[in-house]
Amino acid sequence: MIKNQLAAMMVILCVATHLGAQNLGTSANLQNIEVDNLTDEQLENFLEKAKASGYTEQQLEVLARARGMSPAQIAKLKARALQRGAASVSGQVNADARVRRLPQVAEEINTDFDPYADLYIHTDSLDEPSEIFGMAFFTNGKLTFEPSMNIPTPENYLLGPGDEMIIDIWGASEVTYRLTISPEGSILIPRLGPVYLNGLTVEKAASKLGIKLKSIFSSLGSNTFYQVSLGQIKTISVNVVGEVAKPGTYQLSSFGTAFNALYQAGGPSESGSLREIFVFRNGKKVAELDAYKFLIYGEGEAIKLQDQDVVLVKPYVAHVKVDGEVKRPMIYEVKADETLASLLDFCGGFNGQAYSKSVSLQRNAENFKTIRTVGKGAFESLNLQDGDEVEIVKISNYFVNRVRVEGAVNHPGSFELQEGMKLSDAIALADGLRKDAFLLRALIIRENEDLTLSNIPFEPVEVLSGSVDFELNSGDLIKIQSIFDLREALILTIDGEARAPGDFPFVSGMTVEDLILLAGGFSEAAARSVVEISRRVTSQPDEDTKASEVYNFPISENLGLSEEASSFKLAPFDLVVIRKSPFYERQAIVQVDGEVQFPGKYALESKTERISDLIRRSGGFTSIAFVEGASLIRKSDYFAAEDENKTVADVRREELEGLIRRDTLVDSGEEEFKELEPIGIELKKIMDDPGSEYDLILKSGDILNVPRKLQTVRVRGEVLRPGIVRYSKSSSLKQFVGQAGGFTEDARKRRAYVVYANGTTDKTNSFLWLKNYPDVEPGAEIIIPEKPERRKMLPQEVIGISTGLATLALIINNLAN
């Protein structure tokens, strides 16, 4: 942030210098500069000059203000400079991002002396809001304390050098003069000469000018009239010193106040006071500012500043921290005569959760800390000291007049315990019991005097009848259970060939037909035989081995139930099973892609249909089919039976939803999924000998892919340039690897293998130093594995093995002797 500010301020100075030199002279006034009218080329030129600038940030800002540039124009210029030039200029300044102390700035911007080096401060308080009340007002960009210029000239405003006087004359003569008061305090009226106005109010200046103008406008006052007003106002130089963030000299509007000067200087520092701010004029103290009057109460008159005024910020008087349950917990500055009550007023008072009878005061006592409990009566009399910490705790969550009613009542909740309140009164406040309330037992959980709990049972039916009732205590919890809370949830289950099988709540009197209706009726695959119902064994069975009671009811051809089944009443936890017809079969769909006459999906005609049958039905191969590279993907090995008929689009959608992972291989214009590994088939042998062991029986979901003739080979793994190379019938595996740059140093040559287009693989065979690499066919993929990482033996391991071998040799030698 500091780098960007420095870059922006360098651009400001360059603008001031460049425009001043070009148009206004070296001491030019920049009041009329409009940043919006500057071109990008001008800004680029200014940035180049900024790189060679030797000024500090404070010097740049002071210089720009001294030449009359308004704060609004400076802000606009900063924004444009930061957009276009901050990056290039900040490269010249290697500043710490969190500390404004920049001892190296002088060296990096080609100057040997930085007169403001000792005025840089740490910016931790700028990165994070200060805990001291009031400091944030001076870093708030929306609160600038800028005076309004759209007001009448104050009666006590004194004219001085730099003020613009506008003299309008109308009537018999019409003329307008716009004249600026010179450094000597006068204006020069054509044909009249200088008129001294320094130190006069506008009203007195108008009277004086009227007398002077009569010498050149003789009819002034009869048929010629005049008016004097103030145009552009002068700027004043104000020195801000003491405990502020950026002490220095600042150019302000002549309407400026002490708050304007403090804001320009970044406000008081962490050690500065907001309560003792003095204004000196001509060596004498003329005003004192207590910022709390404005920041907290909105009171206090604005202290108007004059040229060469000095604003002095003293060190803070005493800082006291307020923490806990107040509206504004922060650190506050207090004066010697202010009390704890004043401090609570500063922080907005207690919030709604505060314990207000007393507060805890932590105070430093020489080398120790002390705690003092201050009662409410001492708030007005207790004076505070620097370093005090005041904590306001939260009130207890304990209720002293509450009873609670929970469970099977119409409006459960917490209620006020009134004097003499009884159990029946609490139930009445809860709007009575629900219809499902269990009436034979309920509980009152009571909090005893020592905060332990005790249990008081009662029968709600007796309370309702009035035969039993007793008084409640604070903290009592009345729990009324529902009849449904006291038993297992009663369900019925339907499984098998229903359109929506699952669990359903038990309803008394429900029949099998009712449950099938709730499940959406029979599916098309339902068997036209029987419906089976199994029931839990709830009493002593006749046989010890009996696990459930089973009932079977026939179904008619139109899937209707018999009269006996229709009248059979279901019991809780009954399981109704609708069997699948043994003759029902969904179409088994297979797919053939690639170079066949009629690619697409086909339904299997029989359960023994083979690959050769599918090729025959699809019209045979095209003239560019690469039969040797054909492959078969069996989706049933990857998906459940109900998902076997998924299309490639379905698989792609699931991959996008994160259900499967995709690793694409592009081959003959088709996109396949690596997870669906193809089964190696010999399609040429299949077509030469249909029905042989090579001719596999198809399953639902199978995808047969016949690629077009291929002319490339892919080389992967430990080669210098993995990729695709042109196929040549006369080339060997090593020659294909050579086309890919050759083996790397980590290549494990003896383990190289080839994956053919149809999914089959072949490995390298080795004998001693001889290697027999597999043949390579069009569309194949050569894979060169990496050597396993070998760990070097540690010296201790070498010594251990050597010692073991020496010992073994000694033993063998002794045995031989």
Side-chain angles (χ1 to χ4, degrees):
M1 178 180 178
I2 301 304
K3 293 179 182 180
N4 290 343
Q5 289 177 343
L6 186 58
M9 293 314 301
M10 284 181 175
V11 175
I12 291 172
L13 177 67
C14 291
V15 171
T17 304
H18 182 75
L19 294 179
Q22 276 192 340
N23 306 320
L24 305 172
T26 56
S27 60
N29 191 313
L30 302 181
Q31 289 180 345
N32 297 324
I33 294 298
E34 289 292 337
V35 174
D36 291 337
N37 295 333
L38 297 177
T39 65
D40 291 341
E41 289 74 19
Q42 285 178 303
L43 273 179
E44 292 292 345
N45 186 25
F46 301 151
L47 284 171
E48 291 298 324
K49 294 189 176 185
K51 293 180 182 179
S53 168
Y55 290 90
T56 64
E57 178 185 347
Q58 285 78 13
Q59 289 173 320
L60 295 169
E61 186 170 359
V62 169
L63 205 55
R65 289 181 179 276
R67 297 189 180 182
M69 183 173 285
S70 68
Q73 293 299 320
I74 290 178
K76 289 182 180 180
L77 188 57
K78 282 184 179 181
R80 289 192 63 184
L82 291 176
Q83 288 177 359
R84 298 186 61 84
S88 60
V89 176
S90 63
Q92 304 295 317
V93 183
N94 183 20
D96 190 310
R98 294 185 56 82
V99 182
R100 267 199 187 172
R101 182 172 297 279
L102 304 175
Q104 72 275 31
V105 168
E107 177 182 352
E108 295 183 1
I109 59 176
N110 300 321
T111 182
D112 296 326
F113 176 65
D114 181 1
Y116 294 93
D118 291 334
L119 300 182
Y120 292 112
I121 64 166
H122 291 280
T123 58
D124 291 340
S125 60
L126 299 179
D127 294 339
E128 299 178 3
S130 173
E131 294 184 359
I132 301 175
F133 173 77
M135 295 300 183
F137 287 94
F138 297 98
T139 57
N140 184 352
K142 297 181 180 179
L143 182 68
T144 64
F145 300 100
E146 285 290 336
S148 174
M149 298 299 177
N150 299 321
I151 59 173
T153 304
E155 294 181 0
N156 59 350
Y157 181 80
L158 300 180
L159 298 174
D163 282 334
E164 182 187 36
M165 304 302 298
I166 302 174
I167 305 171
D168 292 311
I169 299 174
W170 70 95
S173 299
E174 292 190 4
V175 64
T176 297
Y177 299 107
R178 300 181 71 94
L179 305 169
T180 302
I181 299 176
S182 68
E184 290 74 24
S186 62
I187 60 174
L188 183 63
I189 301 176
R191 297 189 299 153
L192 182 62
V195 179
Y196 190 79
L197 301 179
N198 186 46
L200 300 180
T201 64
V202 176
E203 183 179 0
K204 290 182 178 180
S207 299
K208 185 174 182 178
L209 288 169
I211 297 172
K212 296 286 186 181
L213 289 170
K214 281 188 177 181
S215 61
I216 56 176
F217 298 101
S218 58
S219 60
L220 194 67
S222 57
N223 60 352
T224 302
F225 307 94
Y226 80 101
Q227 174 181 291
V228 177
S229 59
L230 187 64
Q232 292 287 340
I233 61 173
K234 62 181 178 290
T235 59
I236 59 175
S237 293
V238 176
N239 300 300
V240 185
V241 296
E243 303 299 321
V244 292
K246 296 184 290 184
T249 301
Y250 294 91
Q251 304 298 314
L252 304 178
S253 160
S254 53
F255 289 170
T257 65
F259 270 118
N260 300 135
L262 284 174
Y263 183 82
Q264 295 300 324
S269 63
E270 294 286 324
S271 59
S273 173
L274 283 167
R275 313 294 305 278
E276 292 188 352
I277 303 170
F278 304 120
V279 178
F280 289 87
R281 185 171 298 149
N282 299 324
K284 296 181 180 180
K285 185 172 72 172
V286 295
E288 182 176 345
L289 174 65
D290 183 348
Y292 274 27
K293 290 183 179 180
F294 173 77
L295 299 177
I296 296 177
Y297 306 111
E299 301 174 355
E301 295 183 1
I303 301 174
K304 299 287 186 181
L305 298 178
Q306 295 184 16
D307 193 40
Q308 298 305 315
D309 278 355
V310 176
V311 179
L312 173 64
V313 178
K314 301 281 286 183
Y316 69 84
V317 181
H319 276 170
V320 178
K321 184 177 182 180
V322 184
D323 199 7
E325 303 303 319
V326 292
K327 295 174 181 176
R328 244 187 339 249
M330 297 188 78
I331 297 174
Y332 293 87
E333 182 181 352
V334 295
K335 294 183 176 180
D337 59 342
E338 291 176 336
T339 63
L340 179 58
S342 306
L343 178 66
L344 292 174
D345 188 33
F346 293 160
C347 64
F350 299 114
N351 64 26
Q353 298 296 318
Y355 179 72
S356 59
K357 286 189 176 181
S358 66
V359 302
S360 176
L361 174 66
Q362 178 180 301
R363 175 166 289 175
N364 300 328
E366 296 181 353
N367 193 35
F368 303 97
K369 289 184 178 291
T370 61
I371 290 290
R372 181 175 176 181
T373 301
V374 183
K376 192 171 185 178
F379 289 178
E380 296 285 350
S381 59
L382 178 68
N383 291 99
L384 299 169
Q385 298 178 8
D386 188 28
D388 284 354
E389 295 185 17
V390 178
E391 183 181 9
I392 293 86
V393 298
K394 198 173 184 178
I395 61 173
S396 168
N397 287 327
Y398 185 78
F399 289 88
V400 295
N401 66 336
R402 179 183 72 167
V403 293
R404 291 178 292 161
V405 183
E406 294 182 356
V409 293
N410 289 308
H411 289 93
S414 299
F415 302 95
E416 177 189 359
L417 176 65
Q418 301 174 350
E419 185 176 356
M421 185 174 179
K422 294 188 175 181
L423 176 59
S424 58
D425 299 326
I427 295 176
L429 287 174
D431 208 11
L433 303 179
R434 292 203 313 252
K435 293 181 179 181
D436 62 326
F438 184 65
L439 300 178
L440 299 182
R441 192 173 184 86
L443 301 174
I444 296 177
I445 299 175
R446 173 159 293 175
E447 188 178 87
N448 302 319
E449 293 294 332
D450 59 356
L451 301 184
T452 59
L453 300 177
S454 58
N455 181 62
I456 304 174
F458 68 93
E459 295 184 12
V461 65
E462 294 181 348
V463 176
L464 294 177
S465 66
S467 59
V468 171
D469 207 356
F470 45 85
E471 194 168 322
L472 299 175
N473 292 347
S474 178
D476 281 356
L477 171 60
I478 304 166
K479 294 184 71 68
I480 311 292
Q481 296 295 106
S482 167
I483 57 175
F484 301 110
D485 297 333
L486 303 177
R487 69 185 186 191
E488 187 178 355
L490 304 181
I491 62 171
L492 295 170
T493 303
I494 182 169
D495 197 6
E497 294 305 320
R499 295 183 65 246
D503 295 335
F504 296 87
F506 170 77
V507 178
S508 180
M510 183 177 286
T511 65
V512 178
E513 282 186 333
D514 298 330
L515 183 58
I516 293 174
L517 179 66
L518 291 177
F522 296 105
S523 72
E524 186 182 355
R528 273 68 169 174
S529 54
V530 295
V531 172
E532 182 179 283
I533 302 169
S534 61
R535 178 167 294 175
R536 290 184 179 180
V537 176
T538 57
S539 59
Q540 180 65 36
D542 296 334
E543 301 176 9
D544 293 339
T545 58
K546 191 169 186 178
S548 63
E549 297 179 3
V550 178
Y551 305 89
N552 288 290
F553 299 101
I555 308 176
S556 65
E557 284 295 324
N558 59 2
L559 299 181
L561 295 174
S562 65
E563 183 177 349
E564 181 184 5
S566 299
S567 61
F568 183 82
K569 303 298 182 183
L570 296 175
F573 310 109
D574 277 358
L575 170 62
V576 178
V577 179
I578 302 172
R579 303 296 179 191
K580 180 180 178 181
S581 171
F583 309 108
Y584 180 83
E585 286 288 345
R586 290 190 177 95
Q587 296 95 328
I589 305 298
V590 296
Q591 184 174 335
V592 57
D593 292 332
E595 299 305 322
V596 294
Q597 297 294 340
F598 304 104
K601 293 182 179 180
Y602 292 84
L604 295 179
E605 295 178 347
S606 70
K607 295 182 180 180
T608 60
E609 190 166 346
R610 298 175 180 268
I611 295 175
S612 59
D613 300 324
L614 180 60
I615 295 296
R616 175 181 52 79
R617 293 176 61 189
S618 62
F621 306 115
T622 66
S623 60
I624 59 173
F626 181 48
V627 178
E628 291 81 0
S631 61
L632 178 70
I633 292 176
R634 179 146 289 172
K635 290 200 294 183
S636 60
D637 293 339
Y638 300 92
F639 301 104
E642 60 271 17
D643 296 331
E644 288 178 1
N645 291 328
K646 286 184 178 180
T647 64
V648 174
D650 296 330
V651 177
R652 184 175 293 109
R653 174 185 55 77
E654 293 187 357
E655 179 272 327
L656 291 173
E657 294 173 356
L659 301 179
I660 63 173
R661 181 173 55 84
R662 188 177 73 173
D663 185 6
T664 60
L665 294 176
V666 179
D667 191 5
S668 68
E670 299 293 333
E671 185 182 71
E672 301 293 344
F673 292 91
K674 188 176 180 181
E675 283 72 15
L676 307 182
E677 294 290 350
I679 300 173
I681 60 173
E682 300 286 350
L683 187 55
K684 192 173 187 308
K685 294 181 179 179
I686 291 173
M687 300 311 296
D688 290 342
D689 188 11
S692 65
E693 59 179 339
Y694 301 104
D695 197 3
L696 300 181
I697 296 176
L698 295 172
K699 296 179 63 175
S700 178
D702 283 356
I703 300 176
L704 177 63
N705 181 46
V706 182
R708 66 180 58 181
K709 290 181 179 179
L710 302 174
Q711 295 178 308
T712 59
V713 173
R714 182 187 294 269
V715 185
R716 294 174 54 193
E718 293 303 315
V719 293
L720 294 175
R721 191 176 179 276
I724 298 175
V725 298
R726 184 177 60 84
Y727 174 76
S728 174
K729 188 174 182 180
S730 60
S731 297
S732 64
L733 183 143
K734 292 185 67 175
Q735 289 172 319
F736 286 120
V737 171
Q739 293 183 51
F743 296 103
T744 66
E745 292 182 357
D746 295 328
R748 198 175 187 185
K749 302 175 185 177
R750 61 187 302 170
R751 295 296 183 185
Y753 63 96
V754 175
V755 180
Y756 296 103
N758 64 353
T760 60
T761 60
D762 195 4
K763 66 182 181 66
T764 300
N765 296 313
S766 300
F767 178 73
L768 298 178
W769 62 89
L770 299 176
K771 299 181 183 67
N772 183 21
Y773 292 110
D775 295 331
V776 180
E777 296 180 357
E781 184 174 10
I782 301 171
I783 300 176
I784 312 299
E786 182 182 8
K787 289 179 181 178
E789 184 178 357
R790 293 186 178 181
R791 184 178 63 86
K792 292 183 178 181
M793 295 181 64
L794 299 175
Q796 299 90 328
E797 295 174 329
V798 175
I799 295 173
I801 294 174
S802 301
T803 304
L805 292 175
T807 304
L808 181 60
L810 182 60
I811 293 173
I812 293 173
N813 183 60
N814 291 337
L815 291 174
N817 291 333

